[in-house]
Amino acid sequence: CTGKVTLLLKNLLVLTVATKQTEGFQRFRRSAQFFNYKVQVLGLDEEWKGGDDKKPAGGGQKVRLLKSALKQYVDKEDLIILFIESYDVLFASGPTELLKKFKQAKSKVVFSAENYIYPDRKLEAKYPQVRDGKRFLGSGGFIGYASNLKKLVEEWKGQDDDSDQLFYTNVFLDPEKRVGCVIGLSGCLLMRHELTQGVDAKKLSCPIMCNMVNCLLQLQLNYLGNYIPQIWTFETGCTVCDEGLRSLTGFKDEALPMILIGIFIEQPTPFLSQFFLRLRNLRYPKQRIQLFIHNHEQHHLMQVDSFVKEHGKEYLAVKVIGPDDEVENAEARNLGMDLCRKDPGCDYYFSLDAEIVLKNTETLRILIEQNKLVIAPLVSRHEKLWSNFWGALSPDGYYARSEDYVDIVQRRRVGLWNVPYISSVYLVKAKVLRSELDQGDLFHSGKLDTDMAFCHNVRNQGVFMYLTNRHQFGHILSLENYQTTHLHNDLWQIFSNPEDWREKYIHENYTAALKGKLVEMPCPDVYWFPIFTDIACDELVEEMEHYGQWSTGDNTDSRIQGGYENVPTIDIHMNQIGFEREWYKFLLDYIAPITEKLYPGYYTKTQFELAFVVRYKPDEQPSLVPHHDASTFTINIALNRVGTDYEGGGCRFLRYNCSIRAPRKGWTLMHPGRLTHYHEGLPTTKGTRYIAVSFLDP
Ligand SMILES: *[C@@H]1O[C@H](CO)[C@@H](O)[C@H](O)[C@H]1NC(C)=O
Ligand SMILES: *[C@@H]1O[C@H](CO)[C@@H](O)[C@H](O)[C@H]1NC(C)=O
């Protein structure tokens, strides 16, 4: 028995048509090499006239090429030929397995079978019924003796763009011809890897397919270090990526590839100044970077302007398209890409949306080194499954969850993945923009959204999109609750984007303070530690001044009559600017934990009725008479800098005859409110001093 199979093996030849050596074709060939299939490629570098995706049928060119290739094998009696597509197919098992299945099918020619009838649905009634398995012929792959195949295609007189599928279907449905050629169908012939249609392994009923999946899984375990085939839609394991790596180490700055970065601000987006800061911090010479910025939002005009004014000159070139240019999303993306495509000096196009928080400063280098035509770094929402890629497509081209989606997002499986959809941040080789992707309009396709249209078009050109999660790159902002009604809207983002809020507003040494380091005690039981960044202080002050309705400081103020404030100050309360909820969250997240550390045994929910910013000026209200606070404990955050912004100021605790005369910007005092810590505000003698005060647990 084995002897017979060996004999057959020697006589097995794979024929495939590939006019272009697409990435899909290269993958096909790698898998063929892996299993030792003998492959002959037909039509290489010939012009493809077999139809395109705009025409439903087509493929006749393949029949013509097969017919003419078979001429050379007329007298090879026992030659078995597998005729198979290559752009979206890979081998999942070896020739022995294939021949075994061929024999089991007990026909001289065996076609792969499909669940759907195509292209002529009217022929359905003519199809024989099947008890289980698939009923309809698929021309994507068939196997048979050379002589029978020759007979099969003998009558082909069609055009290159006629349907091959219809031709074979008609032969199959003609009982006389079918018997003449001895055609059978088998759904289990081969595994088809249909990237564009996102075949879901679990939905495939054919048991042999499932065996193949198992076989692949085994391969992955056993053959690390060699070529690893893809499981369904993924390229797994790092051996694959290593083979094509392109190292940038040792390159002089001026020899590095030139990158055009397309930046897209398509909707109101928080933390945009941080975005520009990170852009500047990318480790890549700015003289090798051109910027194309599309800002769709009036709201962001100032931030974009100030970035371009202050830093535009550092870059090789900067082009801005603003809201008044009235360029829509897809059109803007086409423009950006086209700038790179048409510039012979441009080596890479890097598309970056404003809601992407790219923390890894090495991102550009890492992506270039992967040496792929199109590659995205994985980014996802903080601790969420929402990310910038899809692992699979539903049959209608929308999102489908792939088996390992979660593992990839959470980086439990790390590698370079071939995926059907990427968005928001990706690198494209300019070379491919000038070849496969040279059509000017990549961002439209029917009614598809811009991002989906792009991926659809890239897939259609046989270009693979890769995703790497081999490094941490960053995350995606939530845009859902971004209000634009304030001066500094980011302050309100503590709920929606807490990590980004923390990074922007919480002092870098707060964590040390929380561990008890850097906390000072300038007066008995008065603690002093860093809490806010300079930006937090500045924005809070500006927000208050922007609001502008400072209390008058006399007792006509209703809040004071209500008896909350022991002594009136010139102030604006957090609730007046609609910041109460956010302030409470800040107190709970950042003040409560440190309070409990510093005053052990005291537990706080940081409740407050009074939280406000006080303004001291020599000619307005320079100081505050001695008083107790209406609180269990009080925090008092200095919002500006003594010496530069004002002179004098500070706080004196009378019982201890102890003063803090040089408050530090961004640092807070924390002290008990009643009974012991009777205190006064020392006079501000010049400039304006601001503090943020909260009476906690009144
Ligand atoms: C944080 O603490 C370190 C060490 O004391 C100090 O060098 C650094 O300047 C501090 N950072 C800021 C922003 O004050
Ligand atoms: C309070 O302290 C200052 C110096 O810090 C000192 O000159 C003054 O005598 C002290 N007053 C009392 C009542 O101890």
Side-chain angles (χ1 to χ4, degrees), residues 459-568:
R459 289 195 308 264
N460 269 5
Q461 292 308 311
V463 174
F464 284 175
M465 288 172 279
Y466 286 90
L467 176 94
T468 171
N469 66 348
R470 300 174 76 195
H471 300 80
Q472 304 258 24
F473 291 101
H475 62 269
I476 308 175
L477 289 175
S478 162
L479 304 185
E480 273 142 37
N481 297 305
Y482 184 55
Q483 314 168 13
T484 55
T485 49
H486 312 284
L487 179 66
H488 295 296
N489 299 286
D490 294 350
L491 283 169
W492 276 259
Q493 285 289 305
I494 190 168
F495 291 102
S496 297
N497 290 295
E499 296 80 10
D500 302 274
W501 194 94
R502 179 188 178 121
E503 188 182 320
K504 180 170 180 183
Y505 294 124
I506 295 298
H507 195 284
E508 63 171 341
N509 287 335
Y510 167 77
T511 317
L514 196 55
K515 290 183 189 138
K517 292 173 202 150
L518 287 171
V519 178
E520 297 179 24
M521 186 153 68
C523 297
D525 281 328
V526 177
Y527 291 103
W528 201 17
F529 55 87
I531 185 78
F532 274 161
T533 59
D534 275 9
I535 290 181
C537 298
D538 297 347
E539 290 195 0
L540 196 52
V541 168
E542 284 167 26
E543 197 66 45
M544 290 306 183
E545 287 294 355
H546 178 69
Y547 177 74
Q549 297 178 34
W550 296 92
S551 62
T552 51
D554 62 32
N555 283 356
T556 58
D557 194 304
S558 63
R559 292 187 319 265
I560 297 160
Q561 283 170 353
Y564 295 123
E565 276 185 19
N566 293 342
V567 283

Side-chain angles (χ1 to χ4, degrees), residues 652 654 656-659 661:
R652 175 165 171 261
L654 281 71
Y656 309 98
N657 189 21
C658 173
S659 302
R661 284 188 183 278

